[in-house]
Amino acid sequence: MEPKWWHKAVVYQIYPRSFKDSNQDGIGDLRGIIEKVDYLVQLGINTIWLNPIFSSPNDDNGYDISDFRGIMADFGTMADFDELVTVLKANNIRLVMDLVLNHTSDEHPWFIEARKSLDNPYRDYYLWAKGFEGKEPTNWESFFGGSLWEQDQQTQEYYLHLFSQKMPDLNWSSSKLRQEMYEIANFWSEKGVDGFRIDAVVHIDKELTYPQAYNPGGRPYVMAEQYYANRPLVHDYCQEFYQAVLANKEIMTVGEAASATIEEALKYTAPEREEFNMIITFEAISFDIDPNLNPAVPPKWTQKRPDLQEIKRVWMKWQDGLYGKGWNTLYWNNHDVPRVVSRYGNCEQYHQESAKMLATLLYCLWGTPYILQGEEIGMTNVAFPQLTDYRDVEIQTFYREALATGKVSHEEAMAMIHARSRDNARTPMQWDTSDNGGFSQVKPWIGVNENYQTINVAANLADPNSIFYHYQRLIYLRTKSSYSDLLTYGKTTLLLPEDDAIFAYTRTYGEQTLLVVANFFEAPKTVTLAGEVAEIIVQNYPEVSKQLGTISLRPYEANVYLLK
Ligand code: TEU
Ligand code: CA
């Protein structure tokens, strides 16, 4: 595979609202990021993915965009943005921006126009349908819960919204609309942006005959992704986007493709198809969800203990399925999922060990790693007591719909929100022990996790054995060390596939082989592994023997050995 800069990218995801507040209004902003560039340099990352910073009424924290060429006032100005680009370039950090092609805000001028009349020139930019038997056109369910149709008072027609009702979906079958979107992408690429993370892109084409979906019961609306995910035209549009925006530029693209299979992923990422460089899928992070657990709520709100054999099987499917043909991404966390150390680790007794184990396992695999802000210091989930403490629009809809079924109590709904909500990933970055974790001098837009007194950047930087330095080591190994090519291009081979507690694999490239061994759980475990160790290059316990054979792994122990 022809080497590309993004093969060695380590991407640090910044959720700007929650990173650093520079002007004491309780909201993170662009100047806050500029203040913290030195910290990112110290961590060693070389790429930033910035969640949306465009003008937005903030129904969905910036994913509802009202001006694709403007900066959200909360975050600063275009001059601040330009300065950020300059500072990042000076520090050799590349910038990947979020690009939302699937929908706009209902406050976008296009939609304000479109809803005025059936023959408005912008009508065709969105998706409209008449009601069916006095109800919504279809029984399709929004990703945020409830119907994905909303009736518009002006014309009585319904518009389609996969996400909140303030986020009408765009009509990609309109070539005029498509040209508008390409121009927006070119605007940002001309501003010096190095890449795009393309939001919810698998959904841009829909089945425009709007059939009813089979609904086996339980809830009034049903997920019907066959009608709005990974449909064939999506690939045509991606290729058109490539020609209009990306061709002959070294711009990295990562498509958000939550529900893509390997087959689809190959279509999106095979270089010769000229669509994207890589995609983000959700299969590799959904191991603790069980759709059969509670039919009264959408699957994402359920929780079960992960099955390591399944994790291994799915991860290896992606390692093998794309190797040499496409490109892979590696991530535990993003702004849409609860914090991994709370899900798979043990934050009370083995916080450091389990956080380091999870990082070691994932970031030694093949693919481009993504780190969500705060992951590198072991930030955890929150459990706010009141519904009103939560900010995410999805949580509010979920709560309403869940209680309306009559099968979910307030207490049960709150427990689900504590375990599964997106706000877990969105609490302010914990910088130090000062008020509000050093994020802001005033009360932040969303509460700070009360554990900021112990889990924070300052404490991590002061402790040579901290989670931060473990991430720093892994990033260094991937980007700058003599193992960089091995970790970037080496082949992954799974060992001990049947073991239900140990995740072990090798990475091989040329003459070099690394062996990664991790105990995924708390109970100590003995395993037999062959090989002669030249050096131990990563460990999460102070004393580790170089002797392989029959070895005993402590709770969450994870080691990386260079083999002879
Ligand atoms: O998320 C989109 C997303 O998760 C969907 O693709 C969908 O939930 C999935 O296909 C289920 O199978 C992105 C952003 O990451 C999120 O924060 C936004 O709220 C959303 O798009 C709307 O812009
Ligand atoms: Ca601010």
Side-chain angles (χ1 to χ4, degrees):
M1 183 154 289
E2 191 193 337
K4 293 287 184 188
W5 69 262
W6 51 83
H7 295 162
K8 290 202 176 178
V10 176
V11 185
Y12 187 85
Q13 180 187 353
I14 293 186
Y15 198 71
R17 229 179 162 65
S18 300
F19 192 60
K20 181 73 175 84
D21 176 17
S22 74
N23 62 346
Q24 315 315 330
D25 62 357
I27 301 173
D29 45 56
L30 295 174
R31 302 212 70 82
I33 302 173
I34 295 172
E35 275 177 31
K36 294 297 183 183
V37 168
D38 289 350
Y39 168 74
L40 301 174
V41 169
Q42 186 178 0
L43 180 59
I45 57 96
N46 52 24
T47 308
I48 286 174
W49 153 27
L50 206 52
N51 284 101
I53 56 163
F54 316 101
S55 305
S56 161
N58 258 313
D59 189 52
D60 185 23
N61 289 0
Y63 280 98
D64 50 318
I65 296 168
S66 54
D67 176 4
F68 288 99
R69 292 178 178 80
I71 301 288
M72 192 191 300
D74 287 344
F75 291 161
T77 62
M78 192 59 93
D80 296 330
F81 176 79
D82 291 337
E83 189 176 328
L84 175 64
V85 171
T86 308
V87 172
L88 292 178
K89 282 211 194 308
N91 285 281
N92 295 316
I93 296 177
R94 291 191 158 95
L95 178 60
V96 172
M97 287 184 85
D98 230 299
L99 189 64
V100 184
L101 302 179
N102 180 69
H103 46 265
T104 68
S105 164
D106 66 345
E107 298 180 34
H108 192 288
W110 297 340
F111 192 73
I112 294 173
E113 279 303 308
R115 75 195 318 179
K116 282 184 180 160
S117 68
L118 294 172
D119 58 1
N120 186 282
Y122 289 94
R123 186 76 177 175
D124 194 34
Y125 277 30
Y126 296 88
L127 299 165
W128 301 93
K130 293 192 174 51
F132 176 71
E133 295 176 347
K135 291 197 309 207
E136 297 92 354
T138 68
N139 58 354
W140 304 353
E141 184 171 51
S142 156
F143 287 124
F144 288 178
S147 171
L148 58 60
W149 294 102
E150 180 69 15
Q151 191 168 29
D152 188 51
Q153 291 317 310
Q154 201 70 26
T155 62
Q156 296 301 308
E157 285 193 347
Y158 292 78
Y159 63 86
L160 189 153
H161 61 89
L162 287 181
F163 301 95
S164 91
Q165 48 172 274
K166 281 185 66 62
M167 301 156 80
D169 280 52
L170 289 163
N171 174 18
W172 272 69
S173 74
S174 155
S175 60
K176 210 165 143 233
L177 177 272
R178 296 203 300 275
Q179 293 312 317
E180 298 255 27
M181 301 318 281
Y182 306 153
E183 280 168 29
I184 289 163
N186 278 322
F187 171 85
W188 289 102
S189 115
E190 279 155 27
K191 277 196 139 309
V193 162
D194 302 292
F196 295 113
R197 177 266 187 190
I198 302 169
D199 186 64
V201 67
V202 296
H203 304 302
I204 57 180
D205 181 46
K206 280 93 178 171
E207 172 52 65
L208 300 177
T209 61
Y210 303 134
Q212 294 296 316
Y214 171 67
N215 186 357
R219 289 175 282 127
Y221 307 104
V222 63
M223 282 291 163
E225 290 209 57
Q226 65 272 29
Y227 299 132
Y228 45 80
N230 299 299
R231 297 172 53 80
L233 278 183
V234 174
H235 295 288
D236 294 9
Y237 298 150
C238 291
Q239 289 171 359
E240 195 180 77
F241 177 85
Y242 185 97
Q243 294 308 328
V245 180
L246 307 169
N248 308 315
K249 297 185 196 134
E250 287 297 291
I251 288 192
M252 164 187 148
T253 50
V254 48
E256 191 201 20
S259 48
T261 57
I262 294 280
E263 208 187 349
E264 283 299 319
L266 283 170
K267 290 190 199 156
Y268 287 120
T269 68
E272 68 277 10
R273 286 181 54 91
E274 304 192 321
E275 296 189 16
F276 299 130
N277 303 130
M278 58 188 116
I279 61 164
I280 291 171
T281 83
F282 279 26
E283 189 180 9
I285 54 158
S286 306
F287 300 112
D288 49 353
I289 289 171
D290 183 354
N292 303 317
L293 222 55
N294 190 343
V297 298
K300 69 160 282 184
W301 296 95
T302 63
Q303 172 125 27
K304 69 165 185 196
R305 182 185 154 95
D307 170 350
L308 184 68
Q309 284 172 354
E310 191 197 351
I311 297 184
K312 293 199 272 195
R313 190 179 50 72
V314 171
W315 277 13
M316 287 312 298
K317 183 178 83 180
W318 287 93
Q319 293 285 295
D320 292 338
L322 303 188
Y323 189 70
K325 301 182 201 141
W327 196 257
N328 200 35
T329 57
L330 303 169
Y331 72 103
W332 277 129
N333 292 289
N334 65 34
H335 63 295
D336 291 335
V337 291
R339 294 268 179 187
V340 72
V341 67
S342 298
R343 295 161 66 187
Y344 300 159
N346 175 338
C347 301
E348 282 75 46
Q349 249 186 303
Y350 296 105
H351 181 236
Q352 287 206 2
E353 290 83 353
S354 58
K356 291 176 183 175
M357 178 278 288
L358 290 164
T360 305
L361 249 192
L362 186 72
Y363 296 126
C364 288
L365 285 169
W366 170 72
T368 296
Y370 290 70
I371 298 166
L372 172 65
Q373 64 183 45
E375 180 184 333
E376 77 282 12
I377 55 166
M379 276 178 62
T380 68
N381 283 351
V382 274
F384 295 133
Q386 311 284 339
L387 184 64
T388 49
D389 298 327
Y390 285 91
R391 298 288 171 264
D392 183 6
V393 55
E394 184 193 46
I395 296 176
Q396 310 298 330
T397 327
F398 158 72
Y399 181 87
R400 226 177 20 247
E401 299 279 326
L403 264 71
T405 63
K407 292 177 185 145
V408 180
S409 68
H410 167 79
E411 287 69 28
E412 286 165 337
M414 290 307 294
M416 291 179 196
I417 291 168
H418 292 161
R420 305 290 323 165
S421 78
R422 303 194 299 182
D423 276 346
N424 280 310
R426 300 176 178 186
T427 61
M429 182 74 181
Q430 296 162 206
W431 293 103
D432 55 39
T433 56
S434 66
D435 288 353
N436 307 309
F439 165 74
S440 175
Q441 287 160 26
V442 304
K443 190 168 179 268
W445 70 279
I446 187 170
V448 180
N449 194 319
E450 59 185 19
N451 64 20
Y452 76 86
Q453 289 292 342
T454 48
I455 300 179
N456 61 62
V457 168
N460 265 261
L461 293 180
D463 170 10
N465 290 317
S466 69
I467 300 169
F468 175 91
Y469 290 114
H470 195 84
Y471 271 77
Q472 186 191 54
R473 168 96 183 134
L474 289 168
I475 296 167
Y476 166 79
L477 288 172
R478 289 200 71 108
T479 55
K480 300 222 167 90
S481 76
S482 54
Y483 309 107
S484 177
D485 282 340
L486 163 65
L487 285 166
T488 307
Y489 296 111
K491 169 124 187 79
T492 311
T493 307
L494 183 68
L495 307 176
L496 309 171
E498 303 302 322
D499 198 294
D500 59 8
I502 303 296
F503 199 146
Y505 60 85
T506 55
R507 297 289 308 282
T508 308
Y509 187 73
E511 300 289 285
Q512 278 182 326
T513 298
L514 292 183
L515 168 64
V516 180
V517 184
N519 179 1
F520 203 77
F521 297 107
E522 199 174 312
K525 179 91 197 232
T526 300
V527 281
T528 303
L529 285 161
E532 264 196 86
V533 176
E535 204 185 328
I536 297 170
I537 64 170
V538 179
Q539 62 197 74
N540 65 345
Y541 276 84
E543 307 279 320
V544 180
S545 159
K546 272 171 113 179
Q547 195 64 45
L548 289 176
T550 299
I551 57 171
S552 181
L553 292 163
R554 291 157 279 190
Y556 303 105
E557 180 166 353
N559 303 312
V560 181
Y561 309 88
L562 174 68
L563 297 185
K564 279 185 190 151

